[in-house]
Amino acid sequence: MQLGLSFSDSDVSSFTPLVVLELADDTKAEAITWLLNRIRDKQQNGGAELLVNQLLFPAQDDQKSNPNVFVVGSTLQRLLNGAEDVGLFKEFQDGTMRGFTYANRESFKDFNGDGEGFLSDAECQYIIKHGLDTLRAKNEQHVPGYPKLKLYPGKSVVRRLQSKGVLIQYFPLHNKEDLKRLSFSWYKKFKLSFQPLDDIRHYFGEGLALYFGFLEYFTFALVPMALIGIPYYLFDWEDYDKYVLFAVFNLVWSTVFLEVWKRCSATLAYGWGTLSRKKAFEEPRAGFHGALGFNPVTGREEPVYPSSKRQLRIYLVSVPFVLLCLYLSFYVMMVYFDMEFWAINTYHENPNIATSILLFVPSIIYAVVIEIMNLLYRCAAEFLTDWENHRLESSFQNHLVLKVLVFNFVNCFASLFYIAFVMQNMVLLRQSLATLLITSQILNQVMEAFLPYWLQRRRNKKVHKRMRRLMGDKELPLLGQVQLETEMNTYLGTFDDYLEQFLLFGYVSLFSCVYPLAAVLVVLNNITEVYSDAFKMCHVFKRPFSEPAANIGVWQLAFETMSIIAVVTNCALIGLSPQVKAYFPESDTQLILIVVAIEHVLLAFKFILAFVIPDVPKHIQVKLAKLDFDSLEALKKRKILEATET
Amino acid sequence: MQLGLSFSDSDVSSFTPLVVLELADDTKAEAITWLLNRIRDKQQNGGAELLVNQLLFPAQDDQKSNPNVFVVGSTLQRLLNGAEDVGLFKEFQDGTMRGFTYANRESFKDFNGDGEGFLSDAECQYIIKHGLDTLRAKNEQHVPGYPKLKLYPGKSVVRRLQSKGVLIQYFPLHNKEDLKRLSFSWYKKFKLSFQPLDDIRHYFGEGLALYFGFLEYFTFALVPMALIGIPYYLFDWEDYDKYVLFAVFNLVWSTVFLEVWKRCSATLAYGWGTLSRKKAFEEPRAGFHGALGFNPVTGREEPVYPSSKRQLRIYLVSVPFVLLCLYLSFYVMMVYFDMEFWAINTYHENPNIATSILLFVPSIIYAVVIEIMNLLYRCAAEFLTDWENHRLESSFQNHLVLKVLVFNFVNCFASLFYIAFVMQNMVLLRQSLATLLITSQILNQVMEAFLPYWLQRRRNKKVHKRMRRLMGDKELPLLGQVQLETEMNTYLGTFDDYLEQFLLFGYVSLFSCVYPLAAVLVVLNNITEVYSDAFKMCHVFKRPFSEPAANIGVWQLAFETMSIIAVVTNCALIGLSPQVKAYFPESDTQLILIVVAIEHVLLAFKFILAFVIPDVPKHIQVKLAKLDFDSLEALKKRKILEATET
C-alpha cells in the first residue's frame, strides 16, 4: 500500500496537476482506458494531447473513496498552442493587447525564455477545459462498454459523458499559495482600498472579476446618494423643491452610473484582453437532445430540435406557469396586507411595546416568505428552462434570466407599488420598504455566506480527520486537497450575485425619494458583501473555471430597464406627495400634466445622455483602431510581398 | 486637327474608359506629368497602376473646352486585385457571400475564363476610385510646380489636389447601353411591379439601391394605412373606439414597419455582399486641415486638429446659431397665425368664394416659406459643419444630419403641434396639415425633378449643337459623352431624398389619427417620387460613385425617434378628442391618468416588440454563422498542416 501511495504521488508530480476529473465509481474499465487514450492522443489524431493520471488513494481507507479520480495537466508547448486556439489576448511589446500567436510569442511583453509563467493558472485551466470540451468523437459508434451511449462524429465526448452521468464533474484545482496571497490582499487586511481586481482576474478569470468590479463600482457610486440621503432622513426634508431635487439627482445619477460603468467595464475588459476577443463557436449544451439531423451551419450530423416545438413548450407551458406564479405572488401579497391591517388594528386598540413590535412582524414574515418563494421559483424556472431544451448555453441563460427577473421584480416590488400608488400610504411604504430591505439583506448574507461556510467547515474537519487517521502526521498535500475540493460545493456562477444587486438597485432607485436612507443601507450591505463574497469564493466553493467576459451582458440591460422604471415611479411619487399637491390647490389636472411633461422630458434626456456618452473611452477606441489598422497594413504588406515573389 | 482628334479617340479606345478626371485648365504641365506618372506607376512603387489618357478636343473648337480632361481605366488583372483590396463580397459556389480573393477566384460563382464580366461597371469604378483615393505621397515635399501645395508621406494626393482646387472633379462615366436597359425596366414601362433593385444596385451601387428599396418598402407599408384611412375620412368616423383603434394600429404599424425594414435591409445587404463587409479604414475629409502632428492610430505624421477646439466651435457657435434659427422659425410661425386669423375674420365678415379661397392662402404661403427656410438653413448648416472641421466624413455627416433634422422637424411640425395642443383646434389642424402636406409635395417634385430636368435639357441642346458644328454628322461618342456629363449637375447623395421621406413619415405618423387621408396623399406622392427620382438619377445628374452600404444608417434612428414621438402625440390627440372627453364628464384627472397609462403601456410594448423581433432574419443569421465557422475551420486546418510540416 505504501507503494501504491508513493507511486501515485510520484507519478502525478511529473506534471503540475491543474484540473480534476471525477468519473462515476462504477465506470467500466474499457471506457476509462478509451477516454484516457483519447485525452492523451496527439491533436493531429484528434486527441486533446493532455497529460492525465489516476489518483490512487491508500488502500486502508475504510470509507469508500471514489477510485476514478484523475488529475489533468499539460506540457507548456501544448498550453501555448492552446492559448492561440482559444484566442487569448495578451499584452504586446508596444502596450496594446493582441491575439496571442505561437509564431510571434517572443514579441509579447511577459514572454521570457520558454514561456514559463507567461500564462496564469486560470488561463492554463481554461485552455485545458477547452481541450477537454472540444475532444470530439471520431468514428466511434458509442462509448466503449456502453452500447447505449451513442456517439457520432464531431460530438463532444465530455459533454456526452457528462449528460449521461458517467463523468460526474471536472473542476480546476486551487493553487494554495496564490490563494493565500490573493485572500490576504483581498479581504484579510481591513483597510479602505480598492479590490485587487487584476489579481482576482488572474485567479478566477474575467467573468468573476467583472462582477467584483461592478460590485465595487456600484457601492462607490451609491456613496454620494447615501451622503445626500442622510440629512434628508435626519432632518425630514420633505419640501417640494428638495424632494424634486433629490429625484432629479437620482435620475441623472442612475443614468450616468450605468453609462460610466459601460466605459469602466470596457477599460477593464480591454486590459484583460477580452474586449476584442472573438467569441468562440458555441457548443451545444450538455443536456441538449433531439433527433439526428444536419446542422445548417457546420453541415455536420448532430441532434436537432425543431424551434417550433420549443416555442410551443415556451408559450403553452412556461408562460402560463410564470403567470400562475405571479398570481400566487399577488395572493401572498394580499394575505400580507390582511396581516398588516390586523397588526395595525391591534396596535391602535392597545398601544404598548409588544403591539408596537407587532407592527413590524407582518413585514418581516412577508420578507422571509418572499425570499422562500424566490428560491422555490428559481428551482422551478431552472427546471422549466432546461426542459425547453435550448441548444446553446447562452440562449438557456437568457430565458432563465428573463423568467427569474420578471418574477423576482414582481415578487419583491409589487407590494411596494401597491402601497405607493393604490393605497397611497407613504408612511406604510417607508416602513415596509425598510423592513423588506433589511430583512432580505440579513437573510441573503446568512444564506449566501454563513450557511455554506458552516457546512464547509464541518466537511473540512471530517476530511482532515480521515486523512490524519490514514497517514499519521505525514503530509499528503495533493491527495488531501483533491479529496477536500471534490466535496466542496460548486459555485453556480454570478447569476445570484447579480440578481441580488439588481434587487438592491431596485430598492434604491425606485423608492429612494420616499426613503433616502435606502442608499445608506445598501452601501453598508455591499461592504460586507464584498468580504463575504470574497471569502466564499476563496474557501467555501470549488474553484470555478475562468469565464472570459467583455461585459456584464444581459445584466446591463436589466439595470437599464430598472432605471427607466425608476424615472416613472419617482415622477409619480413626486406628483403624489402632499407638498407638491399643495402647490396646485384648485385642479389636479394641471399637476398631473406638469408631472407627465417633466417625466417625458426626463426620459428623453435620459435617452439622449445614454446616446451621447460613448460606450468605450476615447483612448481605448484609439487602441482598438490601431490594432485594426496594423492588421490591415500587415495584410497589405504580405500581399505586395507575394506579388513581387511571383 | 483630324490627327489630334483620331489620336485621342484611338488612344482612348485601347481601354474602356470608366472614370473622368478633370483638372483646372491652368494646371501646370509638370504637375500633370507627375500625377499621370503616379497614377500609372506600379503598386509596388506606391502607384495606382491604372490606365489614364488625356482627352483631346478638336482644335477648331471656338468655345474654350478645358483641355485637362482625362479618362481613367484599368486592366482586368488590376481590377480583380483591387476587388480583393476593397474587400468586395461576391457569391461563392455554395451560394453564400464571401470576401473575394484573387487566389480563390475560380471558386466564385460567376467567374468564367479570365474573369471578364465578373465585376459590374459600378464595382470597377468603385475600385478605380479607391485606387485614386489611396494614391499617397511618397517623399514629395509638395506637388511639382506648386511649392505651396505641401505634401507629406502618406497623404492622399487626390484629396490634396481636390481641396486646393487643382482637381476640379472626378466622376464615373455612364454606360449608355446599361442605362437604356435599366431605365426601361425601371420606369419606362408603366406597370405595377417592384423596382429592379438588383439592377439599380449593379448600376448605381448599394447606397442608392437601398434608398430606392426603402422608398418602395415605405410606400407599400403605407398602403394598408391608406386603405383604412379612406373610409375614416369619407364617413367621418370619429367615435372613440374607432379613433383609438386607428391610433393603436398606427403605432403597431410604425414599430413593425421599422423593425421589418431592418430585416429586409439585412436581406438585401447580404445578397449584395455588404452586410458582413468590413468597413474600410476611413481617410480624412478633403477639407480637413490642422497643424502637423502624429495620428495616434497610424503613427504617421499628418494634420491634427484638437477636438477641444472643435467642441468650442460646436457649442459656442453652432448650437447658438441653431437655437437662433429655431427662434426665427417660431417667429415666422406666429406671423402665420396672425395671417390665419386675419383670413378667418375676413371670411366671417364677408363669406363668399373669394374669401373662402383666401382661407387657404396663409397656409400655402407658410408652406412655401417653410420650404425656403429649410433650403437656406441647409446651406448654412453645411457651411457651419464644414467650418467645425471634422476629420472624418462620417462624423461630418452625423453632425450635419443632426442639425438639419432638428431644424426641419421644428420648422415643419411646430405649427401643427401648436394648433393641436395649445389652440386645441382640430378643424384648423386638419386644414393646416392638408395644406402643408400638399404644398410641400408639389414644391418638392418641382424643385427636385422638373427644374433640374429643364436646366439639363437646355444644356444638352447646347452641347449637341456645338458637337454637331465641330464634327458635322460624324459620331464622336466618347468625346461628346464626356463633354456632356462633365457639365451635368453632381448628385449630392441620398441625404435630401431621405429627409423628404422622413418629413412625410412625420406627417403620416404624428397626426394621422386626425387626418387619416395623409397616408393616401403620401402613397400617391411616393409613386410619382419613384419615377421622378429614377429619371433624375438616369438623365439629370452625373453618375455617382457607388457607395457600399449595409443599412440606411442614421436614418433608421431618425425614423425610430419619430415613431416614438408619434406614440406620444397620438395618445395626447386621443385624450383631447371631444368624443373621448365625453366618456369622463366629471373629472379630467381620470381621463389624463388613463391616457398616460395607455401611453406608457404602448411605449413599453413598442420597446419589447423592437427587442423581440430579430434584426437579421434567421436564414441570413445561419449563413453568416456558417461563414464564421468555415473560416475558423480553415484556420484550424492550416495550423494542423503547419504543425505536421515542422
Side-chain angles (χ1 to χ4, degrees):
Chain A
M1 74 201 174
Q2 197 63 6
L3 187 79
L5 186 76
S6 66
F7 166 78
S8 74
D9 240 325
S10 73
D11 202 50
V12 153
S13 63
S14 67
F15 63 85
T16 318
L18 287 169
V19 172
V20 172
L21 208 75
E22 186 182 8
L23 299 179
D25 56 3
D26 58 350
T27 311
K28 297 207 173 130
E30 47 195 309
I32 295 179
T33 319
W34 168 76
L35 180 63
L36 296 189
N37 278 337
R38 288 302 317 275
I39 293 179
R40 288 184 186 130
D41 203 1
K42 293 217 162 178
Q43 282 190 293
Q44 284 124 274
N45 308 332
E49 211 169 333
L50 296 170
L51 308 172
V52 58
N53 262 324
Q54 190 159 11
L55 207 63
L56 292 183
F57 286 94
Q60 90 269 47
D61 195 356
D62 47 346
Q63 274 175 290
K64 279 225 168 181
S65 291
N66 181 355
N68 293 328
V69 176
F70 303 84
V71 285
V72 185
S74 169
T75 62
L76 190 58
Q77 167 78 29
R78 167 74 178 87
L79 287 174
L80 291 175
N81 280 328
E84 186 175 345
D85 289 344
V86 300
L88 227 55
F89 269 62
K90 298 291 265 179
E91 196 174 354
F92 206 64
Q93 278 170 341
D94 63 355
T96 57
M97 303 298 298
R98 286 173 193 237
F100 177 77
T101 56
Y102 188 71
N104 294 335
R105 60 191 181 283
E106 305 283 353
S107 311
F108 283 85
K109 204 178 165 195
D110 296 319
F111 198 94
N112 303 314
D114 58 353
E116 186 74 49
F118 178 65
L119 299 171
S120 72
D121 261 21
E123 281 166 343
C124 292
Q125 288 164 337
Y126 179 74
I127 291 164
I128 290 177
K129 175 172 189 283
H130 180 259
L132 291 174
D133 280 347
T134 55
L135 182 67
R136 296 176 189 291
K138 290 195 292 189
N139 302 315
E140 298 95 339
Q141 297 288 315
H142 57 84
V143 176
Y146 293 87
K148 278 191 180 167
L149 250 165
K150 293 263 184 297
L151 288 172
Y152 46 86
K155 171 72 191 174
S156 162
V157 168
V158 164
R159 293 282 167 106
R160 170 58 94 206
L161 292 175
Q162 210 173 5
S163 67
K164 293 297 176 181
V166 176
L167 174 63
I168 296 175
Q169 58 176 347
Y170 60 119
F171 61 89
L173 274 171
H174 270 296
N175 180 325
K176 285 193 171 171
E177 267 179 54
D178 287 357
L179 188 62
K180 201 179 256 174
R181 222 175 301 129
L182 174 66
S183 56
F184 182 77
S185 68
W186 195 0
Y187 64 90
K188 281 214 173 137
K189 43 175 184 180
F190 280 90
K191 58 164 184 52
L192 274 174
S193 76
F194 297 103
Q195 297 172 82
L197 287 183
D198 284 326
D199 296 340
I200 299 173
R201 175 242 163 182
H202 253 282
Y203 197 83
F204 288 111
E206 291 81 18
L208 213 79
L210 266 182
Y211 163 69
F212 281 103
F214 179 75
L215 182 58
E216 178 175 303
Y217 173 81
F218 181 36
T219 311
F220 272 99
L222 278 175
V223 168
M225 214 158 127
L227 290 182
I228 299 177
I230 291 174
Y232 266 87
Y233 183 77
L234 291 182
F235 304 124
D236 261 343
W237 283 348
E238 291 190 347
D239 319 272
Y240 173 40
D241 41 350
K242 298 214 184 68
Y243 226 7
V244 174
L245 223 72
F246 192 67
V248 170
F249 169 80
N250 206 332
L251 154 86
V252 174
W253 171 83
S254 73
T255 307
V256 173
F257 155 68
L258 287 169
E259 287 302 312
V260 173
W261 165 249
K262 268 195 231 163
R263 294 165 65 90
C264 288
S265 125
T267 310
L268 285 175
Y270 178 78
W272 297 340
T274 48
L275 188 62
S276 37
R277 184 168 170 183
K278 260 199 104 173
K279 260 199 173 166
F281 198 75
E282 222 180 325
E283 294 285 320
R285 297 187 66 224
F288 177 70
H289 55 86
L292 222 56
F294 285 95
N295 182 323
V297 174
T298 63
R300 289 186 191 142
E301 208 176 13
E302 65 166 47
V304 287
Y305 189 76
S307 93
S308 58
K309 264 195 190 172
R310 187 176 305 124
Q311 300 290 340
L312 277 184
R313 286 187 174 188
I314 291 176
Y315 290 110
L316 293 188
V317 179
S318 296
V319 171
F321 175 78
V322 173
L323 292 178
L324 186 77
C325 288
L326 291 181
Y327 175 78
L328 250 170
S329 157
F330 278 114
Y331 189 82
V332 170
M333 181 180 91
M334 287 303 165
V335 172
Y336 156 63
F337 284 127
D338 286 346
M339 273 165 49
E340 189 71 55
F341 288 126
W342 170 80
I344 291 174
N345 284 338
T346 314
Y347 174 75
H348 280 298
E349 278 167 18
N350 184 14
N352 59 27
I353 298 177
T355 49
S356 76
I357 290 173
L358 192 67
L359 275 178
F360 288 92
V361 172
S363 290
I364 292 174
I365 293 178
Y366 184 50
V368 174
V369 170
I370 282 181
E371 290 295 320
I372 294 171
M373 282 170 70
N374 280 348
L375 221 66
L376 291 178
Y377 177 82
R378 176 91 159 73
C379 297
E382 223 158 299
F383 173 81
L384 262 183
T385 317
D386 195 52
W387 177 74
E388 284 165 16
N389 197 16
H390 294 275
R391 189 171 166 271
L392 298 179
E393 183 66 28
S394 58
S395 142
F396 172 85
Q397 284 294 339
N398 286 343
H399 280 260
L400 181 62
V401 168
L402 188 66
K403 276 196 197 71
V404 173
L405 277 193
V406 168
F407 180 78
N408 273 260
F409 182 83
V410 171
N411 201 22
C412 291
F413 300 124
S415 66
L416 298 177
F417 276 103
Y418 191 86
I419 298 173
F421 300 117
V422 180
M423 294 161 66
Q424 303 197 1
N425 183 342
M426 293 302 143
V427 180
L428 184 59
L429 177 61
R430 198 172 292 191
Q431 181 209 312
S432 193
L433 180 61
T435 325
L436 276 181
L437 187 55
I438 294 169
T439 316
S440 80
Q441 282 181 0
I442 293 172
L443 277 180
N444 255 313
Q445 297 279 3
V446 170
M447 294 284 295
E448 219 184 286
F450 296 113
L451 196 70
Y453 173 64
W454 179 72
L455 288 174
Q456 185 56 26
R457 262 186 83 111
R458 261 190 29 184
R459 213 179 296 132
N460 269 15
K461 268 189 196 154
K462 228 171 59 190
V463 172
H464 273 296
K465 218 193 270 170
R466 201 168 85 214
M467 282 291 143
R468 236 200 325 272
R469 201 176 54 243
L470 276 177
M471 279 145 295
D473 288 334
K474 249 197 291 151
E475 278 252 325
L476 240 193
L478 183 63
L479 259 188
Q481 189 191 349
V482 171
Q483 188 82 347
L484 211 72
E485 293 186 15
T486 312
E487 298 200 355
M488 276 175 156
N489 287 334
T490 305
Y491 178 65
L492 293 171
T494 47
F495 187 105
D496 290 299
D497 297 314
Y498 277 119
L499 183 62
E500 192 191 337
Q501 295 302 317
F502 172 75
L503 294 177
L504 290 180
F505 181 65
Y507 285 118
V508 172
S509 57
L510 291 179
F511 302 103
S512 52
C513 72
V514 177
Y515 185 56
L517 213 59
V520 181
L521 288 176
V522 173
V523 168
L524 290 179
N525 174 74
N526 275 6
I527 289 173
T528 59
E529 181 88 20
V530 168
Y531 287 101
S532 67
D533 277 358
F535 180 77
K536 100 181 168 198
M537 287 315 306
C538 290
H539 293 289
V540 177
F541 286 114
K542 278 194 195 91
R543 183 175 185 173
F545 276 113
S546 100
E547 200 63 61
N551 48 54
I552 61 173
V554 68
W555 293 102
Q556 181 80 35
L557 194 69
F559 276 82
E560 275 166 17
T561 310
M562 181 69 96
S563 81
I564 290 172
I565 300 174
V567 174
V568 181
T569 50
N570 275 307
C571 285
L573 282 176
I574 291 173
L576 282 178
S577 74
Q579 292 84 359
V580 176
K581 273 187 177 162
Y583 273 70
F584 300 92
E586 297 121 54
S587 82
D588 274 355
T589 316
Q590 217 183 340
L591 165 67
I592 295 173
L593 283 180
I594 287 176
V595 168
V596 169
I598 289 176
E599 186 223 343
H600 279 74
V601 170
L602 287 179
L603 279 177
F605 179 64
K606 192 174 166 59
F607 278 105
I608 292 172
L609 209 62
F611 192 74
V612 166
I613 301 176
D615 286 358
V616 177
K618 187 80 190 171
H619 68 280
I620 304 281
Q621 275 179 25
V622 167
K623 280 182 182 165
L624 291 177
K626 193 171 156 57
L627 203 68
D628 273 355
F629 176 78
D630 283 356
S631 70
L632 219 72
E633 287 294 291
L635 201 75
K636 236 185 258 170
K637 251 181 221 155
R638 217 185 60 201
K639 245 181 236 162
I640 288 175
L641 217 77
E642 281 171 5
T644 47
E645 271 171 10
T646 53
Chain B
M1 70 198 179
Q2 198 62 4
L3 186 80
L5 186 75
S6 66
F7 165 76
S8 72
D9 241 323
S10 72
D11 202 49
V12 154
S13 63
S14 66
F15 63 85
T16 318
L18 288 170
V19 171
V20 173
L21 208 76
E22 186 183 7
L23 299 180
D25 55 2
D26 58 351
T27 311
K28 298 207 173 129
E30 48 196 308
I32 295 179
T33 319
W34 168 77
L35 179 65
L36 295 190
N37 279 337
R38 289 300 318 275
I39 293 179
R40 286 183 186 130
D41 205 0
K42 293 215 162 179
Q43 282 190 293
Q44 286 124 274
N45 308 332
E49 211 169 333
L50 295 171
L51 307 172
V52 57
N53 263 324
Q54 190 158 14
L55 208 64
L56 291 184
F57 287 94
Q60 90 268 46
D61 195 355
D62 48 346
Q63 272 175 294
K64 280 224 164 182
S65 291
N66 181 353
N68 293 328
V69 176
F70 302 84
V71 286
V72 185
S74 168
T75 61
L76 189 60
Q77 167 78 29
R78 167 73 179 89
L79 287 174
L80 291 175
N81 280 328
E84 186 175 346
D85 288 345
V86 301
L88 227 55
F89 269 61
K90 298 291 266 179
E91 196 173 355
F92 206 64
Q93 280 168 339
D94 63 356
T96 58
M97 304 298 298
R98 289 176 189 234
F100 177 76
T101 56
Y102 188 70
N104 294 336
R105 60 191 180 283
E106 305 283 354
S107 311
F108 283 84
K109 204 179 166 194
D110 296 319
F111 197 96
N112 302 314
D114 57 353
E116 187 74 49
F118 179 64
L119 299 170
S120 72
D121 261 21
E123 282 166 343
C124 293
Q125 288 164 338
Y126 179 74
I127 291 166
I128 290 177
K129 175 173 190 282
H130 181 260
L132 290 174
D133 280 348
T134 55
L135 182 66
R136 296 177 190 290
K138 293 195 290 188
N139 302 316
E140 299 95 338
Q141 296 289 314
H142 57 85
V143 176
Y146 294 87
K148 280 191 179 167
L149 251 166
K150 293 261 185 296
L151 289 171
Y152 46 86
K155 172 71 191 175
S156 162
V157 168
V158 165
R159 292 281 166 107
R160 170 59 95 206
L161 292 175
Q162 211 174 5
S163 68
K164 292 298 175 180
V166 177
L167 175 62
I168 296 175
Q169 59 176 346
Y170 61 118
F171 61 88
L173 274 172
H174 270 297
N175 181 324
K176 285 192 171 172
E177 266 179 54
D178 286 357
L179 189 61
K180 202 178 254 174
R181 221 174 302 128
L182 174 66
S183 56
F184 182 77
S185 69
W186 195 359
Y187 63 90
K188 281 213 174 140
K189 43 174 183 178
F190 281 89
K191 58 162 182 57
L192 274 175
S193 76
F194 296 103
Q195 297 172 81
L197 287 183
D198 283 326
D199 296 341
I200 300 173
R201 175 243 165 182
H202 252 283
Y203 196 83
F204 288 112
E206 291 82 17
L208 214 79
L210 266 182
Y211 163 69
F212 281 103
F214 179 74
L215 182 58
E216 178 173 301
Y217 173 80
F218 181 36
T219 311
F220 273 100
L222 277 175
V223 168
M225 214 158 126
L227 290 182
I228 300 178
I230 291 173
Y232 266 87
Y233 183 78
L234 291 181
F235 304 124
D236 264 341
W237 282 350
E238 292 190 347
D239 320 270
Y240 173 41
D241 41 348
K242 297 211 185 71
Y243 227 6
V244 174
L245 223 72
F246 192 66
V248 170
F249 169 79
N250 207 333
L251 153 87
V252 174
W253 170 83
S254 73
T255 308
V256 173
F257 155 67
L258 287 169
E259 287 304 312
V260 174
W261 165 249
K262 269 195 230 162
R263 295 165 65 90
C264 287
S265 128
T267 310
L268 285 176
Y270 178 79
W272 297 339
T274 48
L275 189 62
S276 37
R277 184 168 170 184
K278 260 199 101 172
K279 259 198 175 169
F281 197 76
E282 220 181 327
E283 294 285 320
R285 297 186 66 224
F288 177 70
H289 55 86
L292 222 57
F294 284 95
N295 182 323
V297 174
T298 62
R300 289 185 192 145
E301 206 177 14
E302 65 167 47
V304 288
Y305 188 77
S307 93
S308 58
K309 264 194 188 173
R310 187 177 304 126
Q311 300 291 338
L312 277 184
R313 286 187 173 188
I314 292 175
Y315 290 111
L316 293 187
V317 180
S318 296
V319 171
F321 174 78
V322 173
L323 293 178
L324 187 77
C325 288
L326 292 180
Y327 175 78
L328 250 169
S329 157
F330 277 114
Y331 188 82
V332 170
M333 183 181 88
M334 286 305 163
V335 172
Y336 156 62
F337 284 128
D338 285 346
M339 273 164 49
E340 190 73 54
F341 288 126
W342 171 80
I344 293 174
N345 283 339
T346 314
Y347 173 74
H348 280 297
E349 278 167 19
N350 184 14
N352 59 29
I353 298 176
T355 50
S356 77
I357 292 173
L358 192 68
L359 275 178
F360 287 91
V361 173
S363 288
I364 293 174
I365 293 178
Y366 184 52
V368 174
V369 170
I370 282 180
E371 289 295 321
I372 294 172
M373 281 170 71
N374 280 347
L375 221 66
L376 290 178
Y377 178 83
R378 176 91 160 74
C379 297
E382 223 159 300
F383 173 80
L384 263 183
T385 317
D386 194 53
W387 177 72
E388 284 165 15
N389 198 16
H390 293 276
R391 187 170 165 272
L392 298 179
E393 183 65 28
S394 58
S395 143
F396 172 86
Q397 285 293 339
N398 285 344
H399 280 260
L400 181 62
V401 168
L402 188 66
K403 277 197 196 73
V404 173
L405 277 193
V406 168
F407 181 79
N408 273 259
F409 182 83
V410 171
N411 201 21
C412 291
F413 300 125
S415 65
L416 299 177
F417 276 103
Y418 191 86
I419 297 172
F421 301 115
V422 180
M423 295 162 66
Q424 303 197 3
N425 183 341
M426 293 301 144
V427 180
L428 184 58
L429 176 62
R430 196 171 295 191
Q431 181 210 313
S432 193
L433 179 62
T435 324
L436 275 181
L437 187 55
I438 294 171
T439 316
S440 81
Q441 282 182 359
I442 293 174
L443 278 181
N444 256 312
Q445 297 277 6
V446 170
M447 294 284 296
E448 220 184 287
F450 297 113
L451 196 69
Y453 173 63
W454 180 71
L455 288 174
Q456 185 56 27
R457 261 185 86 110
R458 259 189 32 184
R459 214 178 296 132
N460 269 15
K461 268 189 194 156
K462 226 169 62 188
V463 172
H464 272 298
K465 218 192 269 171
R466 200 166 88 211
M467 282 292 144
R468 235 197 328 270
R469 201 175 53 240
L470 276 177
M471 281 148 291
D473 288 334
K474 249 197 290 152
E475 278 252 327
L476 240 194
L478 183 63
L479 258 187
Q481 190 193 349
V482 172
Q483 189 82 346
L484 210 72
E485 292 187 16
T486 313
E487 298 199 358
M488 275 176 157
N489 287 334
T490 306
Y491 178 64
L492 293 171
T494 46
F495 188 104
D496 289 299
D497 297 314
Y498 277 120
L499 183 61
E500 191 190 337
Q501 296 302 316
F502 172 75
L503 294 177
L504 291 179
F505 180 66
Y507 286 117
V508 172
S509 57
L510 291 179
F511 302 102
S512 52
C513 72
V514 177
Y515 185 57
L517 213 59
V520 181
L521 289 176
V522 172
V523 166
L524 290 180
N525 175 73
N526 275 5
I527 290 174
T528 59
E529 181 88 19
V530 168
Y531 287 101
S532 66
D533 277 357
F535 180 77
K536 101 183 166 194
M537 288 314 305
C538 290
H539 293 289
V540 178
F541 287 113
K542 277 192 195 92
R543 183 174 183 174
F545 276 112
S546 97
E547 200 63 59
N551 49 54
I552 61 172
V554 66
W555 293 101
Q556 182 79 36
L557 194 71
F559 276 83
E560 275 167 16
T561 311
M562 181 69 96
S563 81
I564 290 171
I565 300 175
V567 174
V568 181
T569 51
N570 275 308
C571 285
L573 281 175
I574 291 172
L576 282 177
S577 74
Q579 291 85 359
V580 177
K581 274 187 177 163
Y583 272 71
F584 300 91
E586 296 122 53
S587 83
D588 274 354
T589 317
Q590 216 182 341
L591 165 66
I592 296 173
L593 283 180
I594 287 177
V595 169
V596 169
I598 290 177
E599 186 223 343
H600 279 73
V601 170
L602 287 179
L603 280 178
F605 178 64
K606 191 175 167 60
F607 279 104
I608 292 170
L609 208 62
F611 192 75
V612 165
I613 301 177
D615 286 357
V616 177
K618 188 83 189 167
H619 68 280
I620 304 281
Q621 276 178 27
V622 167
K623 280 183 182 166
L624 291 177
K626 192 172 159 55
L627 203 66
D628 273 355
F629 176 79
D630 284 355
S631 70
L632 220 71
E633 286 295 291
L635 202 75
K636 238 185 256 170
K637 253 183 218 156
R638 216 184 62 201
K639 248 182 235 164
I640 290 176
L641 218 76
E642 279 170 8
T644 47
E645 272 171 9
T646 54

